Amino acid sequence: MSAAPFGAADRLAGGPALSLTRLCRLAVAVAATLLVAHPAASQDTKVALLIGNSAYEHAAHLPNPGNDARDLAQALTRIGFDTEVVLDADFRQMRVALRDFSDRARGADVALVYFAGHGIEIDNTNYLIPVNAELRTDADVEFESLRLDTVTRALSGSQGLKIVLVDACRVNPFVAEMQRTSATRSIGRGLRRFDPSSGVLVGYAARAGTLALDGTGRNSPYAEALLEHIEEPGVELGKMFRKVRDTVREKTGGQQEPFTYGSLPGHDIFLAGQSSIVADFQIASDKGDVAAWDRFLDRHEGSDNQALVAVARQLRQAALGQDDATTERLRLMQEAASAKAETEKLAAEAAAALAERDQLAALAAAEEEKRAEVEQELRDREEDLAALARNNASVSETPLADPLDPKADRAYEAARRINTPRAWAHFFNDHPKSRWTEEALARESKTFRQAMRLLATEHDKADVQRGMRLASVSFSGLTRAERLAVQSILTEFGYDPGKIDGVLGDKSFTAVAAFQSDRGLLADGVIDRPTLAALDLHTRRAGPETWYAVASPSGKRYDPDLLGLVENDPRVLKLVRAAPQAQITYGFFEDRLYSVVRTGFGMSKPQMLQLAAKADGSLAKIESREVNRFVVSLFKFEPFFWADGYDSQNWMAGPTIGLFNGQDGATTWAWHDGSPLRYSKWLSGYPHNPKRSNVAEYRLGEKTTKPGASGWGWANNHNGRQSLVLMLE
């Protein structure tokens, strides 16, 4: 039956020519005969499970996954799949759905699972996240989420093609709040590469290690591309995924690239069925042009009906030069068009010459305007520097204290013995020039760096030196104007701090270190008082509270008489006199004085209230995230203020706050003054046994977490600790 079309092709190639119309009719008839002789294979059994998780209980709502699962299920149903949709599935529902689908997939020719929602990679393992997952720690993921390989194993009973599609590489909101239980456990960006077993194809919405976009419409970019191509008949499965990849790249401007892992069988697979070669041949022959035959050959090059494919190749060749007369007419038309184009080109060149003349005149005017702007900018900068010089000069003209001033001597001795950054700030504020200035600057510089070393890990855990530099800026409270002045003056002295924008980064700190070295200062890039003095930025500021909001990151026993020589806030002196033998640290936030006090003995509730009243204050109320963060910064670097829990294994106890359980056996928590609890920072599992516990304290859940790490939260206890947090209005 195949002799006729091959004969037609031979005659077309070299013998007496057949008309294109007769040859097309002959080829269609032969193709129809071949299809009758070789009927299509019986329908495949195709099953699909689609899970769309949008309504997460402990993370923001995702708008697309539910729509994606429903819309894709409808598309799969239209091409012969038996589909099941599960929306907003919790941990148990996801496992049950996979278990039941495993039975349905057994014996199916094609089994497909689609998941849209959140996913995460921890320790090189990929997990799909149910809607009820909390994931407070990285260890919880094993018990609250499903491994991706659990999904692929659920399809192991199917002897046919197995496909798993994962649209779960979005920005993960759980990672930001997740506590780390192991310093060696990694948390990836997106999902990790997954190499499935033979016969399984896994498709990611975004290549491993990258993030997928949620999109702005009804569907995610990945789901939208699947919906566009999955119902196309005659498109082989591998090609369909390549078309999905190209569509997503186009829709996202190259930001997202889907990827498939695994391998397909050697034979072609058509999810939407193979289109009729006869119908496509008829369409191509009706059009008769080269583009139509190219589309036909692109779709059916690998078809079993090679006889019809051979005819199509010959017809394409014939279409290239079937009408010499038409070709000649086209040539003459092209020559006429070329002559016209040449005339237009000459006219355009003349117009361009005129335009170039006008453009050169405009450029000259623009250059003149730019030169004027540069000159004005230079004049403005000179005026700014002159104003800065006048300001420094006016400050320098402040009458100096008597070098033998007894008040300065006593203040210096007090600052030396107290030896905190805030004490030295008070000394320089009250005595900007004295016979102790040089020695005081050296002592303050050493004390300041000791404090910055404690704070370094807050800014850079890996590089202590860089962390100290960044800490010196934030702890000193340098304003943007002061940071701009530092960069401007370094530039004037010939150092390169980078862009003068008020942001002190690595390049600015390198310039500071070079400046310090050239002037005989400690050249570590830490911005201290001697460095600012050498930069001609006067060391006297509005007051110590503008230098240091926290007196010191470590606790001290303060002598109230000595402290009174350098500290002018009466609340601080009341606090120290109320607990003269206690370890104390203090700081100011939103016009309130907060202090952590360690008495050295466990206190009952009445004893804590009595100490607070003696200081003319109260136990601290923590009513916002910002206040909580500030209070934790007072004690988390000082081991005096916290201790191991009673089992000495897995937690540390910190200071007590003014949060008490209800009276007469009630279990309602409220602040010491009766105000309700509007903000809380309870650790997981707390409060517990409320009838046995009546006070709240700070606690760090893991003993192995080093001081300075995040994670301090509240827990309840039956009595007060040796430390407590006070608040003075």
Side-chain angles (χ1 to χ4, degrees):
M1 286 187 288
S2 62
F6 279 118
D10 292 339
R11 291 203 301 278
L12 184 63
L18 282 174
S19 71
L20 291 178
T21 302
R22 290 179 58 201
L23 187 56
C24 289
R25 290 174 180 170
L26 177 61
V28 171
V30 172
T33 304
L34 289 173
L35 288 177
V36 171
H38 302 282
S42 60
Q43 288 281 11
D44 290 338
T45 302
K46 298 182 286 189
V47 295
L49 170 66
L50 301 100
I51 301 173
N53 284 352
S54 290
Y56 280 87
E57 298 174 11
H58 302 282
H61 177 85
L62 292 175
N64 299 124
N67 297 334
D68 297 340
R70 283 189 291 262
D71 294 350
L72 193 56
Q74 293 175 5
L76 291 172
T77 300
R78 288 192 291 269
I79 60 174
F81 275 81
D82 179 12
T83 62
E84 177 187 358
V85 178
V86 179
L87 299 178
D88 298 328
D90 61 22
F91 181 74
R92 182 179 182 279
Q93 289 168 339
M94 284 182 65
R95 295 187 69 88
V96 169
L98 281 173
R99 181 198 66 190
D100 295 345
F101 184 71
S102 178
D103 294 335
R104 293 175 55 216
R106 190 171 290 109
D109 297 298
V110 181
L112 183 149
V113 175
Y114 172 82
F115 175 83
H118 280 306
I120 192 172
E121 180 263 307
I122 295 182
D123 259 0
N124 298 323
T125 302
N126 298 316
Y127 298 88
L128 307 183
I129 304 178
V131 295
N132 63 336
E134 295 187 60
L135 304 186
R136 293 177 179 269
T137 71
D138 52 4
D140 293 343
V141 70
E142 191 70 44
F143 308 103
E144 299 180 13
S145 302
L146 265 68
R147 291 188 177 214
L148 179 56
D149 56 15
T150 301
V151 179
T152 59
R153 287 200 304 272
L155 304 181
S156 60
S158 172
Q159 300 304 311
L161 176 65
K162 298 173 277 289
I163 303 173
V164 178
L165 303 180
V166 182
D167 194 354
C169 311
R170 296 168 169 84
V171 175
N172 198 306
F174 294 94
V175 174
E177 299 295 331
M178 183 180 290
Q179 297 182 21
R180 302 289 293 274
T181 61
S182 171
T184 61
R185 175 169 290 168
S186 64
I187 299 179
R189 183 176 185 264
L191 297 179
R192 180 179 180 269
R193 175 189 176 94
F194 186 83
D195 295 313
S197 58
S198 177
V200 180
L201 188 70
V202 176
Y204 282 0
R207 182 186 290 269
T210 65
L211 299 179
L213 304 178
D214 287 320
T216 58
R218 174 179 173 82
N219 302 108
S220 73
Y222 185 56
E224 190 174 346
L226 285 171
L227 290 168
E228 182 176 336
H229 298 294
I230 203 165
E231 294 184 75
E232 291 183 20
V235 179
E236 197 275 329
L237 183 61
K239 186 173 183 179
M240 189 273 289
F241 278 116
R242 293 193 294 275
K243 294 177 78 172
V244 167
R245 176 200 62 198
D246 294 343
T247 299
V248 171
R249 283 173 58 90
E250 180 181 354
K251 289 180 181 294
T252 63
Q255 296 182 56
Q256 178 179 336
E257 179 181 358
F259 206 80
T260 56
Y261 302 92
S263 58
L264 291 171
H267 61 275
D268 291 342
I269 298 172
F270 301 88
L271 285 186
Q274 197 167 0
S275 62
S276 169
I277 189 172
V278 176
D280 288 349
F281 188 93
Q282 184 65 59
I283 293 171
S285 65
D286 289 343
K287 291 185 176 296
D289 56 22
V290 174
W293 291 116
D294 283 341
R295 286 192 295 272
F296 174 86
L297 291 171
D298 183 57
R299 177 168 291 181
H300 297 290
E301 191 73 45
S303 171
D304 294 335
N305 196 340
Q306 286 298 304
L308 200 58
V309 171
V311 173
R313 292 196 191 101
Q314 296 298 329
L315 290 172
R316 180 187 182 281
Q317 287 298 115
L320 287 173
Q322 60 180 327
D323 194 341
D324 293 339
T326 301
T327 303
E328 180 64 17
R329 284 196 301 273
L330 289 173
R331 186 184 67 79
L332 293 174
M333 291 173 63
Q334 289 172 351
E335 288 180 355
S338 297
K340 181 181 178 182
E342 182 67 21
T343 301
E344 293 175 348
K345 177 183 177 183
L346 292 174
E349 288 177 351
L354 294 175
E356 183 177 2
R357 182 194 65 186
D358 295 340
Q359 184 180 13
L360 290 174
L363 287 174
E367 285 293 330
E368 178 62 25
E369 183 179 354
K370 183 177 180 180
R371 184 186 63 79
E373 290 177 355
V374 170
E375 290 179 352
Q376 183 61 46
E377 183 178 347
L378 290 173
R379 286 194 295 271
D380 292 343
R381 187 169 181 181
E382 289 173 357
E383 291 178 3
D384 291 341
L385 291 173
L388 180 63
R390 288 194 299 271
N391 181 64
N392 284 339
S394 65
V395 174
S396 300
E397 291 168 3
T398 302
L400 298 180
D402 183 350
L404 300 179
D405 183 1
K407 290 184 178 180
D409 296 346
R410 290 194 296 271
Y412 169 77
E413 181 62 19
R416 185 187 67 80
R417 293 173 62 181
I418 296 171
N419 200 30
T420 65
R422 184 176 171 85
W424 286 115
H426 273 291
F427 172 78
F428 282 108
N429 184 70
D430 297 336
H431 307 284
K433 293 293 183 180
S434 71
R435 65 192 183 104
W436 303 106
T437 297
E438 184 175 349
E439 185 175 344
L441 284 171
R443 288 183 178 274
E444 187 216 16
S445 179
K446 180 179 180 180
T447 300
F448 185 74
R449 280 170 171 75
Q450 290 171 345
M452 294 310 98
R453 185 170 292 277
L454 285 176
L455 300 175
T457 55
E458 283 287 280
H459 298 273
D460 194 320
K461 292 182 173 59
D463 188 337
V464 174
Q465 185 64 47
R466 184 172 184 272
M468 289 176 63
R469 292 172 171 180
L470 293 169
S472 69
V473 176
S474 61
F475 190 80
S476 299
L478 290 181
T479 66
R480 184 174 185 274
E482 289 171 321
R483 298 194 300 271
L484 283 168
V486 168
Q487 293 174 319
S488 298
I489 295 172
L490 285 171
T491 302
E492 292 299 316
F493 283 148
Y495 302 92
D496 181 13
K499 183 178 180 181
I500 300 178
D501 55 3
V503 179
L504 299 183
D506 292 341
K507 198 166 187 178
S508 293
F509 289 125
T510 300
V512 169
F515 173 83
Q516 291 169 329
S517 177
D518 291 344
R519 279 151 182 78
L521 302 173
L522 182 57
D524 57 2
V526 173
I527 300 178
D528 56 1
R529 190 183 300 273
T531 301
L532 293 174
L535 285 167
D536 291 331
L537 290 173
H538 203 273
T539 57
R540 183 171 185 172
R541 299 173 73 175
E545 61 277 1
T546 64
W547 275 100
Y548 309 124
V550 176
S552 173
S554 57
K556 298 185 72 68
R557 286 190 176 93
Y558 290 98
D559 182 327
D561 294 330
L562 283 176
L563 189 61
L565 295 174
V566 292
E567 177 64 74
N568 57 8
D569 192 307
R571 295 173 294 180
V572 177
L573 300 180
K574 286 182 181 179
L575 170 69
V576 173
R577 289 192 174 96
Q581 298 302 316
Q583 289 275 353
I584 294 174
T585 186
Y586 63 92
F588 300 85
F589 187 83
E590 295 180 345
D591 296 328
R592 291 191 180 98
L593 170 66
Y594 292 90
S595 175
V596 182
V597 179
R598 182 181 186 275
T599 62
F601 57 89
M603 289 175 287
S604 64
K605 178 179 175 181
Q607 288 174 316
M608 291 188 292
L609 293 174
Q610 182 180 5
L611 176 58
K614 187 177 180 182
D616 200 13
S618 62
L619 290 171
K621 290 168 57 177
I622 314 298
E623 296 184 298
S624 70
R625 182 179 181 181
E626 291 73 24
V627 171
N628 186 72
R629 186 184 294 116
F630 178 77
V631 170
V632 170
S633 73
L634 291 175
F635 67 81
K636 68 179 179 179
F637 294 101
E638 179 54 87
F640 283 118
F641 297 128
W642 38 263
D644 290 340
Y646 58 83
D647 55 9
S648 298
Q649 293 297 320
N650 61 355
W651 56 277
M652 291 185 290
T656 304
I657 57 178
L659 185 60
F660 299 138
N661 204 349
Q663 303 294 326
D664 302 325
T667 57
T668 301
W669 290 85
W671 296 107
H672 60 86
D673 60 0
S675 57
L677 187 63
R678 294 188 178 89
Y679 167 83
S680 64
K681 183 64 175 174
W682 293 109
L683 289 173
S684 177
Y686 289 93
H688 66 78
N689 294 331
K691 291 188 177 181
R692 296 179 54 194
S693 304
N694 61 1
V695 298
E697 64 184 26
Y698 279 99
R699 191 172 292 182
L700 186 63
E702 285 291 335
K703 180 187 174 188
T704 55
T705 303
K706 295 182 180 179
S710 60
W712 284 97
W714 303 349
N716 57 316
N717 193 18
H718 65 280
N719 216 339
R721 297 282 178 182
Q722 296 184 13
S723 300
L724 68 160
V725 185
L726 297 181
M727 178 179 72
L728 283 74
E729 299 284 354

